[in-house]
Amino acid sequence: DAKTTQPTSMDCAEGRAANLPCNHSTISGNEYVYWYRQIHSQGPQYIIHGLKNNETNEMASLIITEDRKSSTLILPHATLRDTAVYYCIVRVALRRRDDKIIFGKGTRLHILP
Amino acid sequence: NAGVTQTPKFRVLKTGQSMTLLCAQDMNHEYMYWYRQDPGMGLRLIHYSVGEGTTAKGEVPDGYNVSRLKKQNFLLGLESAAPSQTSVYFCASSYSTGTVYEQYFGPGTRLTVT
């Protein structure tokens, strides 16, 4: 799976949009971009995933550049409950026999009141 | 559905003691995983299983053993606990088909080895 690079930490004011970047310059054509987050003392939570097109769900939007070498997770109206570590993961599309997720260190997002 | 549950929630062990962490899921998932999380290290995969009766090593398997005798349960064993195994342990499960790679995580077990 392709390697990802994320900033160690970010701050965002409550009510503003939080934009979390991720670089994945070695991504392959059959690899998806996934985002998870982990709120303090809880297990990680799936947020969203995408291949080429921008995606939106009830939690967030995912913007993937045309060359697919980077992406941005957008939380449109950040709240204090969005304070968490956000993980960007690149994965192949189809399940393999040795299927597993490798989490990196992620971005620690602080939502400021 | 209870989702993914872990037992116990907290445990303190002395060096050299053994214990087993239990993970149970009621979603009929084929795949199950054990991770550990240490401050500043993110999540690291210990062992995983792609089906009943099968297990495989992850990133940091040394000092741990696992078993998947029943599809709904995944056990993580520490035969001789060491202080370096002080950590928070998370179990997860996922479907075995489809292209959405969504793992469901348990609440975690906080283990301290003194």
Side-chain angles (χ1 to χ4, degrees), chain A:
Chain A
D1 296 332
K3 178 180 168 58
T4 61
T5 304
Q6 298 177 253
T8 303
S9 66
M10 292 181 62
D11 293 337
C12 178
E14 188 177 16
R16 296 294 192 109
N19 297 281
L20 292 91
C22 179
N23 286 322
H24 31 78
S25 58
T26 60
I27 192 170
S28 300
N30 65 344
E31 290 182 314
Y32 281 71
V33 179
Y34 287 83
W35 283 85
Y36 279 74
R37 74 178 180 182
Q38 186 176 22
I39 296 170
H40 183 62
S41 298
Q42 298 181 23
Q45 175 189 25
Y46 164 83
I47 301 173
I48 199 168
H49 76 286
L51 182 63
K52 293 181 184 178
N53 300 322
N54 298 338
E55 301 288 345
T56 296
N57 63 19
E58 65 278 4
M59 289 182 67
S61 296
L62 175 60
I63 308 298
I64 302 174
T65 58
E66 193 169 342
D67 63 6
R68 301 206 328 120
K69 293 186 177 182
S70 66
S71 60
T72 301
L73 177 74
I74 301 173
L75 307 178
H77 304 287
T79 70
L80 296 177
R81 288 176 293 180
D82 291 321
T83 292
V85 178
Y86 288 77
Y87 297 96
C88 170
I89 300 160
V90 173
R91 293 270 317 152
V92 295
L94 295 179
R95 297 188 183 284
R96 306 179 301 212
R97 192 65 188 159
D98 63 343
D99 215 17
K100 57 185 181 292
I101 280 183
I102 303 297
F103 287 82
K105 294 188 178 182
T107 296
R108 188 171 295 276
L109 176 66
H110 298 276
I111 304 301
L112 306 174

Side-chain angles (χ1 to χ4, degrees), chain B residues 41-64:
Chain B
M41 294 295 295
L43 284 157
R44 292 184 293 170
L45 182 65
I46 305 172
H47 286 281
Y48 63 102
S49 168
V50 297
E52 183 178 319
T54 70
T55 63
K57 294 180 180 179
E59 299 173 87
V60 288
D62 295 341
Y64 304 95

Side-chain angles (χ1 to χ4, degrees), chain B residues 35-108:
Chain B
Y35 295 88
R36 62 176 288 174
Q37 186 168 41
D38 305 300
M41 294 295 295
L43 284 157
R44 292 184 293 170
L45 182 65
I46 305 172
H47 286 281
Y48 63 102
S49 168
V50 297
E52 183 178 319
T54 70
T55 63
K57 294 180 180 179
E59 299 173 87
V60 288
D62 295 341
Y64 304 95
N65 57 76
V66 288
S67 64
R68 183 95 181 270
L69 299 180
K70 292 183 179 181
K71 185 178 182 178
Q72 64 269 34
N73 296 336
F74 195 27
L75 305 179
L76 178 71
L78 287 73
E79 290 187 349
S80 179
S84 61
Q85 293 177 306
T86 293
S87 189
V88 180
Y89 292 85
F90 289 100
C91 175
S93 68
S94 71
Y95 295 107
S96 62
T97 59
T99 58
V100 177
Y101 199 87
E102 180 176 353
Q103 287 190 352
Y104 296 82
F105 283 80

